Amino acid sequence: YLLDNNSPSVIDVMPGVYWVFFTKNTTKPFTINLEENSKVDFYGYFSDFSSKKILFNQMYENSILNVKTMYFCNKNELSTNIKSYTSTNNSKSNIQIINIIKDNKLNIDSSIEIEKDSKNAEGHLSQNNIFISDKWSVRWLPKLFVRSDDIKASHSCKMQSINQDELFYLTSRWLDKTTSTKILTQSYFNNIFSCISMYDKKIYDELFLDFSDNI
């Protein structure tokens, strides 16, 4: 399901249903509610300066949420808010955020909240920042609100530049630095979005072209 500015603001995923959502540069806030035994894979790509607010509610048992988002901070400041809220048993949420930062500023406010009555729940939040220039600023506020002692929860943050050994290898093969940087950066993109091509090859190709043209 492709989310855009014409999609409903609130989406209910019915019991026992598996949905794959994809959104690109939407300015509209979304709330996605997962019902019993439902599963959601959510993919987001953002490369403009608008604010993104996405809320996932897991209020019924045995729901599974996987979120993978990429933010490409090139010329404009990016800001976003992603939140997962769990208030039931046996539910899992995994939020992965990858940031490709070329220039300017990135502000991310992300959180996982698990209520006190939840049992056997999991919540994992991770962010990976990849810098491809010297002009950048990152502000990340990871929050874990855990009110139960029968859960597994974690958060992590990684900062890194383009791997210099890999960059040297490519430039030693008669590729210029710009082309080599693009190839290495595209590998992060493919790790997140390659599976999109299985659902809609056209969307993947358009997204890949947009990403590659801006590196």
Side-chain angles (χ1 to χ4, degrees):
Y1 188 88
L2 179 62
L3 293 176
D4 56 29
N5 288 327
N6 296 317
S7 301
S9 296
V10 179
I11 298 174
D12 295 320
V13 179
M14 302 303 292
V17 174
Y18 170 39
W19 274 23
V20 178
F21 292 96
F22 174 74
T23 187
K24 171 188 173 184
N25 286 339
T26 50
T27 58
K28 189 173 185 177
F30 291 106
T31 298
I32 298 177
N33 300 314
L34 286 73
E35 297 195 17
E36 187 174 3
N37 296 311
S38 63
K39 179 181 178 180
V40 165
D41 287 344
F42 181 95
Y43 299 89
Y45 173 79
F46 304 103
S47 61
D48 61 16
F49 59 88
S50 58
S51 178
K52 293 87 188 167
K53 295 182 179 180
I54 305 170
L55 169 63
F56 301 94
N57 286 319
Q58 295 175 266
M59 298 179 292
Y60 300 88
E61 292 192 353
N62 302 309
S63 63
I64 299 175
L65 170 66
N66 295 304
V67 178
K68 292 185 178 182
T69 60
M70 173 174 280
Y71 297 88
F72 182 44
C73 194
N74 186 9
K75 298 179 180 179
N76 298 307
E77 181 175 345
L78 269 168
S79 61
T80 185
N81 186 309
I82 297 178
K83 179 179 179 181
S84 168
Y85 176 81
T86 301
S87 60
T88 187
N89 301 329
N90 305 313
S91 291
K92 299 178 181 180
S93 61
N94 185 24
I95 299 176
Q96 293 179 264
I97 301 171
I98 290 186
N99 306 311
I100 306 293
I101 306 169
K102 188 173 183 181
D103 294 299
N104 223 304
K105 299 178 181 180
L106 176 66
N107 298 308
I108 294 183
D109 186 359
S110 54
S111 64
I112 292 179
E113 185 171 356
I114 301 176
E115 286 293 354
K116 63 180 181 180
D117 294 328
S118 299
K119 303 295 182 183
N120 193 34
E122 291 188 26
H124 303 285
L125 176 62
S126 66
Q127 177 172 322
N128 189 6
N129 303 292
I130 299 100
F131 308 110
I132 57 177
S133 80
D134 297 325
K135 302 176 181 179
W136 52 266
S137 174
V138 176
R139 176 178 175 270
W140 183 38
L141 294 175
K143 305 185 189 78
L144 291 179
F145 300 102
V146 178
R147 302 180 179 91
S148 171
D149 59 2
D150 188 17
I151 61 97
K152 295 179 181 179
S154 66
H155 65 77
S156 63
C157 181
K158 185 177 182 180
M159 304 276 190
Q160 66 183 97
S161 60
I162 290 293
N163 188 293
Q164 295 302 306
D165 291 337
E166 294 176 349
L167 188 63
F168 175 79
Y169 175 82
L170 290 175
T171 54
S172 68
R173 296 299 187 270
W174 303 284
L175 294 174
D176 59 62
K177 185 175 181 180
T178 300
T179 302
S180 300
T181 299
K182 178 177 288 191
I183 291 172
L184 293 175
T185 307
Q186 287 171 341
S187 67
Y188 293 102
F189 175 92
N190 286 326
N191 285 338
I192 292 289
F193 297 114
S194 59
C195 59
I196 292 292
S197 61
M198 297 187 301
Y199 302 108
D200 194 317
K201 185 68 163 53
K202 182 179 179 181
I203 289 179
Y204 174 82
D205 290 342
E206 291 175 354
L207 188 63
F208 184 80
L209 181 62
D210 178 83
F211 176 77
S212 299
D213 286 347
N214 285 297
I215 297 175

